[in-house]
Amino acid sequence: MRKTILAVLALAAVSGVASIASRATRAQTPASSAAVPHTTPLAVPTNKLEDALLEWPLPPGEQAYAKIDGKHLHQLVEEQAAIARRYRDQGHPKFWGRIIGSSADAEGAEWLANKFKTIGMSDVHIQPLPLDPQWFPQQWNVTVTGGGKTITLESAQPDYRAAALPSGGIDVEAVYGGLGSAADLAGKDVKGKAVFTYTMLGMHDEGAVKRADERGAVAIFEVDMTPGNMRYQGYPSNTKAPAFTVGSDDGLAVRDLIASLPPGQSARVKATLDVQMVPNLKTALVWGTLPGATDETIFIVAHRDGWFEASGDNAGGVASMVGLAEYYSKVPQAQRRRTMVFIGLDGHHNTGPGSAVGGVWLNDPANKAKLFAKTALSINCEHPSTIQTYARPRYLTGDVLHWSNMYTAQQWYAGGPSRPELTAIAVKAFKEFGVPLLTEPDQRPPAGDLGRLYRFTPGVATSEFFHYFHTDRESPDTVPWTGLQASTRAYAKIVDEVNKLPLSTFQRPEEPAR
Ligand SMILES: [Zn+2]
């Protein structure tokens, strides 16, 4: 693996060109196979990704928003990614990130509070929140052996809250489960065995992991066929048997090993997984305020947590929030019609009982009544910029993800059907500032933290969850500065347009919980 990276870097150095293609290639360098082709040069006439990205020009008359600078916002993404890497390098090589309850969570909270203080915001404080015991896998290892060959699945990653394996681990037969549909598993006995199933973003959900669990598998390996060999941190599988995600290269190697065995022989899986539920941890909400001319409010929120470098999810969102705070801090208080409250949320990656304690706190009836009685708008900054990638595009060779010079279209929500004025303001802003959207809004906010607020506050969110989402390749370069700039400028435009209209335009009775 290292050899390949060095070869690519050396080539780039010799030619003086480190193209987008070589970045993608480095991302996809297979961990377990030297034979997979991985050079597909793209004719990109530049030597730096950041220069290749397409920047949306400011619309005429909107020069004020030039102060929101995407390259500066991207620096904030880099700083948060560094917090995550520090945690990784302090003895957490496989389960790392800005994980709720960890020292990286605390460091991230301090980092954000310092940003708010530097901006000169009021009432900057870190509000600690106690946590139920948190899931921290201590170590795990997975190998597959057959025909005299052993493969170590470097990319195997237990789904969040996966149950530990018995101490000493398991040593069981491996079963190739295909897509894991009823047809794929027909006639296959998986009871007491380890099952490998195969899927990818965009494929039909076969419910493979649940099916294998119901049929008595003792470990389930869900291979993500996205090119490369990325680790992907999955949300809870809610199965008795622990489920692991596995990268494409490792998953194909297992499939080929099983295929190579003579009839009657089977491969064996040896796996360990130790888990601790760590008690007495804390997370926090991080607050900062820009007082306005009135006590009416606008909330800007972003979740601070995430897995691995967590650049798209959600360093980009936090950067966008900080960018808005910086922008409005330079507007005189008398010209800010409404008080702006910024909250760095704890987040939600600790899915399940006891998760999202910050959102729960904000939903407490007393807190809710106090905070949101005069709220005209709440923007949730969550995954506002993601590089547009293409998996195995037609007629291009190589088992790689191809990068483009553009950001993805996003799922979105802007007030819902009862607030056509807010929807119109948002759509116009996104169009003018170059934020591509799916053509229809979501009925509810995109999966994320606005889901806890939108029923009682006029909410806006845009979000995308793409190839690098929740993977160990979600590095800062997967967050284009151009997209950060476009989304953040559009959010600012929405704030300014909302501020031209009275509270009654946006406020509605609380919607019932669904
Ligand atoms: Zn998120």
Side-chain angles (χ1 to χ4, degrees):
M1 176 178 171
R2 182 163 300 151
K3 237 184 212 164
T4 318
I5 292 172
L6 289 177
V8 171
L9 290 176
L11 187 67
V14 167
S15 65
V17 176
S19 69
I20 289 180
S22 69
R23 278 168 176 267
T25 300
R26 277 152 60 198
Q28 305 311 329
T29 303
S32 58
S33 163
V36 178
H38 48 265
T39 44
T40 313
L42 289 173
V44 175
T46 178
N47 56 6
K48 276 170 86 184
L49 175 69
E50 67 173 56
D51 296 336
L53 297 169
L54 296 186
E55 182 182 10
W56 193 270
L58 271 172
E62 305 290 10
Q63 220 43 45
Y65 298 100
K67 287 185 206 128
I68 296 173
D69 171 16
K71 287 185 179 169
H72 165 67
L73 299 178
H74 197 265
Q75 181 57 35
L76 303 175
V77 173
E78 298 270 6
E79 290 175 27
Q80 294 170 81
I83 293 172
R85 289 194 304 270
R86 262 194 294 285
Y87 177 75
R88 176 195 65 193
D89 296 342
Q90 288 162 357
H92 314 100
K94 291 168 102 172
F95 183 66
W96 58 281
R98 293 184 300 283
I99 294 171
I100 293 178
S102 72
S103 59
D105 181 353
E107 188 183 343
E110 287 290 342
W111 174 89
L112 182 58
N114 283 332
K115 291 288 174 206
F116 285 170
K117 281 178 199 160
T118 306
I119 294 166
M121 298 171 86
S122 306
D123 194 23
V124 176
H125 65 280
I126 296 173
Q127 176 190 346
L129 294 164
L131 291 162
D132 287 350
Q134 297 289 297
W135 182 85
F136 282 89
Q138 301 300 301
Q139 74 81 34
W140 66 89
N141 194 54
V142 183
T143 60
V144 184
T145 303
K149 255 178 83 177
T150 293
I151 308 166
T152 298
L153 304 189
E154 295 290 348
S155 63
Q157 189 82 8
D159 286 359
Y160 195 78
R161 288 187 196 266
L165 285 164
S167 90
I170 55 170
D171 180 352
V172 297
E173 189 179 320
V175 176
Y176 173 74
L179 301 179
S181 70
D184 286 290
L185 295 184
K188 287 186 176 165
D189 174 19
V190 304
K191 197 169 166 53
K193 300 174 185 173
V195 181
F196 287 81
T197 65
Y198 294 72
T199 189
M200 190 175 149
L201 181 66
M203 282 176 62
H204 180 253
D205 179 4
E206 302 290 356
V209 174
K210 276 259 187 254
R211 184 171 292 109
D213 191 53
E214 283 159 7
R215 297 186 184 191
V218 293
I220 304 153
F221 297 92
E222 189 180 26
V223 177
D224 178 353
M225 299 294 283
T226 304
N229 204 40
M230 295 184 283
R231 288 187 183 152
Y232 172 85
Q233 184 60 58
Y235 280 132
S237 61
N238 298 313
T239 49
K240 291 190 296 292
F244 295 74
T245 58
V246 174
S248 179
D249 294 343
D250 280 349
L252 290 173
V254 170
R255 183 199 66 180
D256 293 348
L257 185 143
I258 290 172
S260 74
L261 300 174
Q265 271 190 37
S266 54
R268 305 287 296 181
V269 172
K270 281 190 189 175
T272 57
L273 172 59
D274 300 336
V275 168
Q276 261 184 34
M277 296 302 289
V278 181
N280 304 321
L281 297 174
K282 279 188 167 54
T283 186
L285 296 174
V286 181
W287 297 80
T289 300
L290 292 173
T294 71
D295 65 351
E296 294 178 4
T297 51
I298 286 178
F299 280 80
I300 311 286
V301 304
H303 75 81
R304 303 182 293 102
D305 70 319
W307 283 314
F308 305 110
E309 285 179 280
S311 299
D313 174 15
N314 189 33
V318 172
S320 188
M321 175 175 70
V322 172
L324 290 169
E326 289 170 338
Y327 178 75
Y328 284 104
S329 72
K330 297 187 181 103
V331 175
Q333 180 174 349
Q335 288 170 34
R336 293 193 298 254
R337 172 170 179 168
R338 297 183 169 109
T339 293
M340 300 183 76
V341 184
F342 295 76
I343 316 175
L345 299 171
D346 51 323
H348 53 259
H349 286 85
N350 56 350
T351 333
S355 76
V357 290
V360 171
W361 188 89
L362 291 168
N363 269 271
D364 174 89
N367 297 331
K368 194 164 67 177
K370 202 171 117 193
L371 289 165
F372 298 105
K374 295 188 183 178
T375 299
L377 173 69
S378 294
I379 297 180
N380 177 38
C381 306
E382 189 159 346
H383 325 171
S385 174
T386 305
I387 190 86
Q388 175 72 60
T389 41
Y390 293 86
R392 308 181 183 98
R394 198 187 301 273
Y395 304 130
L396 289 179
T397 56
D399 200 26
V400 302
L401 277 176
H402 287 260
W403 287 36
S404 75
N405 59 358
M406 196 47 179
Y407 36 92
T408 61
Q410 298 184 74
Q411 304 177 33
W412 63 285
Y413 172 91
S418 75
R419 297 184 186 89
E421 300 89 347
L422 181 52
T423 305
I425 286 170
V427 167
K428 188 158 183 280
F430 292 135
K431 185 171 185 185
E432 286 181 349
F433 289 82
V435 180
L437 302 174
L438 301 194
T439 52
E440 291 294 321
D442 293 10
Q443 286 305 301
R444 280 178 278 175
D449 285 273
L450 193 60
R452 290 175 189 84
L453 305 174
Y454 80 102
R455 291 186 298 103
F456 53 87
T457 178
V460 169
T462 67
S463 228
E464 189 38 80
F465 317 82
F466 214 47
H467 288 133
Y468 294 115
F469 175 72
H470 284 192
T471 71
D472 63 349
R473 184 59 183 84
E474 200 190 301
S475 49
D477 54 353
T478 66
V479 181
W481 65 269
T482 45
L484 274 180
Q485 178 172 285
S487 294
T488 308
R489 288 175 176 178
Y491 295 156
K493 181 69 177 174
I494 293 167
V495 168
D496 291 340
E497 291 300 310
V498 163
N499 272 343
K500 291 177 183 168
L501 296 165
L503 211 50
S504 58
T505 309
F506 306 106
Q507 285 206 323
R508 299 287 180 273
E510 178 163 343
E511 293 176 30
R514 291 187 236 192

